[in-house]
């Protein structure tokens, strides 16, 4: 990387790809436009969450259908298939997360769609998906947020003992076998996909990790459990309105500001012999976003959405263990019709566009991301990324003084690395705002933030 003014951290994960999670890819009416926009933003990888119940045959019945469930022809791949084909034909790398809720017939008691799924049926599902998309998909993950009751149950026993981790372990091993049978054993296989924080209903992510890897509270592995062949641990490090530096009070929770908690846990698991690999386990941040208004309960202002998202990406970029980062979503989820207040926004407002399709400032802030952090009393550290760049480019950082009342003037002309990243140091000026410009485009102006 070409660094101007000061050296970047020697450990920075400078090559991390960004995966975009856009459910609109399943909509044939929006798919082409979304792919066009992703390409214009320089995005080269997408994540697709495939819900088992959406594609399984006869998902409402109690008994498995009398068909070969490892055969792709037994499933209705529908819009998922079209999304995979369209994205890969345009050259996108694809990460597929195979997840519950699933068909009723695959659950142990047949009472719902998430409680104790059959590992054998999940193995067949994974084999069918691998046979269907094996030449188009290069990375796979098992179960979205398996530490959350919306996706896997039961989470706890009546006495409060976590149950979901061991259930998940069986499903992960089943998926591994299914992909091996489909000829995809050499693909990247991710474990985890954990939600960031635990509650009385959600298992804390590090507690979940220990349980899924058969580790005690003292990080000793059970002799009854073998090593797992895992290529990366996936996690969703969402934060709160406080911002990227928020520190959850539970040491077993992991938001973007406390990623070392998770890497330390993975290192302890590796030393305990939980994985076949001996080297440090890569961390994939496969789902992340900053929620904004119009949700005034969980969302921040539109300006803070821009700034917090850039700071969070900078945190990921600076962490040598992070293999991939992500953005969720392109468009906000639609508000719940007929509801007001807190109930109106039951989904996510982390998109770069409002649910109507209108641009947020986050769109220009994503295309030309910029973060400025205070360093000591007299300096600031400037970090940015020119998102559309597929090669080193020349960009400009402009500054505005007088607390936003002055005109913008060019501060520095910079040369990015091959992925569009830049970093340098500059003098601190109170009240100064900064803007990244490239090829006639301007990013959203951002303020200086000080690390807590």
């Amino acid at each position: 990387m070409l660094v101007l003014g000061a050296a970047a951290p020697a450990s920075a994960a400078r090559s991390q790809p960004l995966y975009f999670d856009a459910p609109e890819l399943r909509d044939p009416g929006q798919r082409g436009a979304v792919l066009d926009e992703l390409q214009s933003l320089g995005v080269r990888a997408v994540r697709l969450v495939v819900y088992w119940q959406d594609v399984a045959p006869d998902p409402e019945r109690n008994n498995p259908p009398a068909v070969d469930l490892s055969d792709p022809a037994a499933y209705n791949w529908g819009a998922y298939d079209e999304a995979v084909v369209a994205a890969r034909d345009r050259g996108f790398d694809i990460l597929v997360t195979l997840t519950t809720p699933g068909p009723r017939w695959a659950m142990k008691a047949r009472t719902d769609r998430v409680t104790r799924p059959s590992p054998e049926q999940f193995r067949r599902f994974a084999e069918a998906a691998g046979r269907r998309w094996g030449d188009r998909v290069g990375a796979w993950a098992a179960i979205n947020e398996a530490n959350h009751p919306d996706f896997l149950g039961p989470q706890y026993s009546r006495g409060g003992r976590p149950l979901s981790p061991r259930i998940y372990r069986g499903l992960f091993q089943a998926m591994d076998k299914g992909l091996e049978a489909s000829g995809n054993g050499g693909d990247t296989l991710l474990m985890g996909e954990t939600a960031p924080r635990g509650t009385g209903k959600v298992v804390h992510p590090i507690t979940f990790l220990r349980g899924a890897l058969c580790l005690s509270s003292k990080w000793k592995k059970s002799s009854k459990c073998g090593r797992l062949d895992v290529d990366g641990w996936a996690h969703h490090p969402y934060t709160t309105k406080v911002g990227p530096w928020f520190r959850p009070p539970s040491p077993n929770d992991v938001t973007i500001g406390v990623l070392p908690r998770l890497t330390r846990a993975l290192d302890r698991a590796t030393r305990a012999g939980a994985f076949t690999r001996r080297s440090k386990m890569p961390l994939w941040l496969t789902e992340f976003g900053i929620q904004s208004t119009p949700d005034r309960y969980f969302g921040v202002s539109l300006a803070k959405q821009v700034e917090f998202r850039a700071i969070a990406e900078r945190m990921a970029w600076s962490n040598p263990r992070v293999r991939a980062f992500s953005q969720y979503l392109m468009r906000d989820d639609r508000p719940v019709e007929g509801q007001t207040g807190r109930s109106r926004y039951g989904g996510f407002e982390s998109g770069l566009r409002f649910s109507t399709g209108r641009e947020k400032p986050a769109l220009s802030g994503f295309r030309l991301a910029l973060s400025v952090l205070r360093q000591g009393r007299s300096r600031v550290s400037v970090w940015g990324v020119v998102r559309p760049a597929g090669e080193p480019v020349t960009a400009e950082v402009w500054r505005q003084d007088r607390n936003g009342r002055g005109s913008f003037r060019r501060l520095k002309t910079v040369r990015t690395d091959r992925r569009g990243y830049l970093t340098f140091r500059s003098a601190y000026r109170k009240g100064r705002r900064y803007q990244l410009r490239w090829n006639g485009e301007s990013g959203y102006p951002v303020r200086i933030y000080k690390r807590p």
Side-chain angles (χ1 to χ4, degrees):
M1 180 176 182
L2 293 177
V3 181
L4 308 177
S11 59
R14 299 168 190 156
S15 62
Q16 67 176 23
L18 186 136
Y19 280 80
F20 208 105
D21 196 331
E24 300 97 325
L25 291 177
R26 302 200 302 267
D27 183 346
Q30 299 186 61
R31 185 179 303 122
V34 171
L35 289 173
D36 287 343
E37 185 157 43
L38 292 182
Q39 287 183 310
S40 75
L41 292 171
V43 175
R44 299 171 179 84
V46 294
R47 175 178 180 245
L48 189 65
V49 180
V50 179
Y51 294 93
W52 193 3
Q53 66 180 3
D54 289 352
V55 300
D58 299 318
E60 296 289 346
R61 64 184 292 167
N62 286 331
N63 297 315
V67 295
D68 180 2
L69 291 168
S70 63
D71 184 353
Y75 295 81
N76 177 26
W77 302 104
Y80 293 108
D81 198 47
E82 296 165 2
V84 168
V85 170
R88 191 62 195 135
D89 285 353
R90 295 214 193 187
F92 285 88
D93 292 331
I94 302 174
L95 163 64
V96 163
T97 300
L98 300 178
T99 191
T100 43
R104 190 179 297 271
W105 47 259
M107 305 300 133
K108 184 175 182 179
R110 273 75 162 169
T111 56
D112 60 23
R113 296 175 181 272
V114 298
T115 301
R116 297 187 184 276
S118 163
E120 178 57 25
Q121 297 293 13
F122 194 63
R123 181 196 68 77
R124 292 169 177 160
F125 173 43
E127 181 177 349
R131 291 168 63 185
R132 182 71 177 185
W133 298 324
D135 59 341
R136 296 179 182 271
V137 174
W140 307 80
I143 311 295
N144 180 70
E145 298 193 350
N147 58 328
H148 195 290
D150 284 354
F151 298 98
L152 191 64
Q155 288 289 312
Y156 292 97
S157 69
R158 291 184 179 180
R161 180 170 60 89
L163 298 177
S164 60
R166 288 298 183 95
I167 298 172
Y168 175 76
R169 181 186 176 92
L171 294 171
F172 175 83
Q173 291 175 303
M175 181 173 173
D176 190 8
K177 292 177 181 177
L179 291 174
E180 186 72 37
S182 72
N184 297 93
D187 290 354
T188 297
L189 184 59
L190 305 180
M191 192 175 187
E193 292 278 21
T194 37
R197 302 185 68 188
T199 65
K201 296 181 179 179
V202 180
V203 175
H204 297 273
I206 291 182
T207 303
F208 184 87
L209 179 152
R210 282 200 305 266
L213 299 178
C214 299
L215 299 169
S216 69
S217 59
K218 295 184 179 180
W219 299 92
K220 300 294 183 181
K221 187 173 74 69
S222 169
S223 60
K224 298 179 181 179
C225 294
R227 300 175 181 230
L228 296 179
D229 189 9
V230 182
D231 296 309
W233 188 270
H235 184 62
H236 304 168
Y238 289 108
T239 186
T240 69
K241 291 179 68 171
V242 173
W245 287 291
F246 169 72
R247 299 182 63 86
S250 169
N252 292 309
D253 288 342
V254 181
T255 53
I256 189 71
V258 291
L259 288 182
R261 291 182 182 178
L262 184 51
T263 52
R264 284 195 296 268
L266 289 169
D267 289 345
R268 298 183 79 171
T270 300
R271 289 195 295 270
F275 305 118
T276 56
R277 69 183 292 145
R278 301 287 186 174
S279 57
K280 292 183 180 295
M281 181 64 65
L283 184 57
W284 289 57
L285 306 181
T286 52
E287 189 177 311
F288 183 81
I290 299 292
Q291 299 213 126
S292 75
T293 53
D295 182 352
R296 300 186 183 279
Y297 295 93
F298 297 103
V300 299
S301 70
L302 296 176
K304 283 187 176 180
Q305 183 189 25
V306 175
E307 294 164 336
F308 286 176
R309 207 215 67 84
I311 293 169
E313 183 173 2
R314 179 179 185 163
M315 288 176 167
W317 177 88
S318 299
N319 190 314
R321 298 289 289 280
V322 174
R323 174 63 182 81
F325 192 57
S326 60
Q327 164 59 30
Y328 183 86
L329 305 146
M330 178 60 77
R331 286 192 182 194
D332 290 351
D333 289 328
R334 292 185 180 276
V336 180
E337 293 186 10
Q339 297 294 321
T340 58
R342 190 184 297 263
S343 301
R344 182 166 173 77
Y345 299 101
F348 276 78
E349 284 67 50
S350 56
L352 307 183
R353 294 178 177 272
F354 293 103
S355 61
T356 61
R358 182 166 61 91
E359 288 186 18
K360 294 181 178 180
L363 184 59
S364 65
F366 179 85
R367 180 181 290 109
L368 297 170
L370 192 64
S371 165
V372 184
L373 302 181
R374 181 88 176 267
Q375 285 195 330
R377 299 180 61 183
S378 61
R379 308 289 284 174
V380 295
S381 172
V382 181
W383 172 96
V385 55
V386 179
R387 187 74 62 193
E391 59 186 7
V393 297
T394 299
E396 297 175 339
V397 175
W398 288 57
R399 48 90 174 169
Q400 180 190 47
D401 292 323
R402 298 173 58 196
N403 291 313
R405 294 189 298 273
S407 59
F408 274 97
R409 298 179 182 275
R410 186 171 58 233
L411 174 68
K412 195 175 187 68
T413 299
V414 294
R415 186 76 172 167
T416 73
D417 73 353
R418 63 184 181 84
R419 299 189 67 88
Y421 291 101
L422 62 95
T423 182
F424 65 90
R425 291 179 183 173
S426 183
Y428 168 72
R429 294 291 185 272
K430 184 178 180 180
R432 176 172 283 183
R433 295 202 305 168
Y434 297 79
Q435 187 178 57
L436 181 58
R437 299 184 181 186
W438 173 75
N439 201 26
E441 300 181 50
S442 298
Y444 193 78
V446 299
R447 295 165 291 180
I448 301 170
Y449 276 84
K450 184 178 180 181
R451 291 186 180 91

